[in-house]
Amino acid sequence: MGAVLLAAIGGLPAFAQTSDLVSKSAFRVCADPANLPLSDKFEAGFENKIAELMARELKLPLEYTWYPMATGFIRKTLQANACDVVIGYAQGDEMVLNTNHYYTSGFVLIVPANGPLAGVTAIGDPALKDKRVGVVAGSPPATHMGLHGLLAKAKGYDLMVDRRYQDPAGQMLADLEAGTIDAAILWGPIGGPLVKQSHPDLKATLLLSEPVQPKMFYRITMGVRQGEKVWERKLNSLIRRNQSEINTILSEFGVPLLNDMGTAPLEAAK
């Protein structure tokens, strides 16, 4: 699960119209400096590439305000008027005004590609019984694991950390390759690219078969300050006109894409 999801929990009072705060001279992005495969200070993540696309379409230089995607991220960046947009933010919270979503993704189960768990597609699969599964503590998959009696042997990993100094996702995959855990569950936009780029002996499978809440997929938007409806509409127009190129960026990085209802891979939904 990405920190963006937990950052989206909570709420603030509605703000007055603040469109005049948006820079006219640069596309100012709030981002984590060490959160690959999403973003980093070297601009190597897929959110960096999407930001480059948006800046190019706006014919503005791209500028970043870097801050760890942890407690205080929105307050210290967007709400402080240090920047004007968060490229990836889960739909439906009150800390930001969400644009239309530009992709939908879910959680993935990651296992050795040639191992006995390679065919597992659901947390409730009996093959996971008595297995040690790595999972982000407090995430939706952890709740489902509890429903299936898998938490007793689970290994939990922290979510809200400063990724300049800690790397929970990387550690989880290292533990999987070392045999410390038998399987790992990660937010797809993190796990999918990591497997594609650096772990060719592992396999990431979308978990689409959990019949009860909490949901295992999220629609991802861009986040702007509350009240900035003019800016939101401008970004919505950019997303709509460039959706195909955005999808290409996401797919090239290995982000698993779902249809809007989170029920099937995007390719199968066409």
Side-chain angles (χ1 to χ4, degrees):
M1 181 177 182
V4 63
L5 299 181
L6 221 56
I9 296 173
L12 291 171
F15 293 90
Q17 173 70 21
T18 54
S19 292
D20 56 317
L21 298 179
V22 177
S23 173
K24 305 294 193 300
S25 60
F27 184 57
R28 303 190 305 164
V29 174
C30 326
D32 191 312
N35 195 25
L36 289 177
L38 284 77
S39 68
D40 81 338
K41 64 182 179 180
F42 302 108
E43 303 180 27
F46 65 80
E47 289 184 353
N48 299 119
K49 304 310 175 187
I50 293 170
E52 290 171 11
L53 170 62
M54 296 291 104
R56 189 163 61 246
E57 289 295 310
L58 288 166
K59 296 180 173 57
L60 290 174
L62 175 58
E63 294 182 0
Y64 281 101
T65 293
W66 301 111
Y67 195 87
M69 181 69 79
T71 303
F73 175 79
I74 293 297
R75 179 170 52 87
K76 294 286 189 178
T77 60
L78 198 64
Q79 291 176 358
N81 192 33
C83 42
D84 299 317
V85 61
V86 181
I87 293 297
Y89 211 85
Q91 186 182 63
D93 72 285
E94 297 179 8
M95 291 190 73
V96 303
L97 176 63
N98 296 111
T99 66
N100 295 338
H101 67 281
Y102 65 92
Y103 76 97
T104 302
S105 192
F107 291 90
V108 293
L109 177 73
I110 303 174
V111 299
N114 297 317
L117 301 178
V120 173
T121 61
I123 293 175
D125 191 309
L128 290 178
K129 185 179 180 181
D130 297 325
K131 296 295 188 290
R132 192 169 195 204
V133 181
V135 66
V136 172
S139 66
T143 301
H144 287 280
M145 286 175 61
L147 295 173
H148 293 290
L150 299 177
L151 287 183
K153 290 189 175 183
K155 181 174 181 181
Y157 296 78
D158 293 332
L159 171 65
M160 300 300 283
V161 300
D162 187 334
R163 284 167 175 74
R164 293 173 297 180
Y165 310 107
Q166 296 175 259
D167 181 15
Q171 185 59 54
M172 194 186 300
L173 295 186
D175 288 347
L176 177 58
E177 291 179 325
T180 305
I181 56 176
D182 302 299
I185 299 178
L186 282 171
W187 172 232
I190 295 176
L194 288 178
V195 168
K196 180 175 181 178
Q197 294 167 11
S198 307
H199 301 273
D201 294 331
L202 299 180
K203 175 186 179 183
T205 301
L206 278 163
L207 294 168
L208 304 178
S209 304
E210 309 310 318
V212 297
Q213 293 292 323
K215 68 180 182 180
M216 293 280 283
F217 70 94
Y218 288 86
R219 300 181 183 116
I220 303 301
T221 73
M222 297 182 190
V224 303
R225 280 178 291 272
Q226 289 286 358
E228 293 183 335
K229 296 295 295 183
V230 173
W231 183 223
E232 176 214 12
R233 287 193 291 269
K234 189 167 190 176
L235 291 174
N236 283 341
S237 178
L238 284 174
I239 291 168
R240 184 175 60 253
R241 297 200 309 268
N242 294 279
Q243 186 65 66
S244 178
E245 190 166 350
I246 291 171
N247 286 352
T248 296
I249 292 170
L250 294 168
S251 296
E252 287 179 348
F253 269 81
V255 176
L257 301 178
L258 293 170
N259 62 10
D260 287 349
M261 300 308 296
T263 56
L266 188 62
E267 295 79 8
K270 291 179 180 179

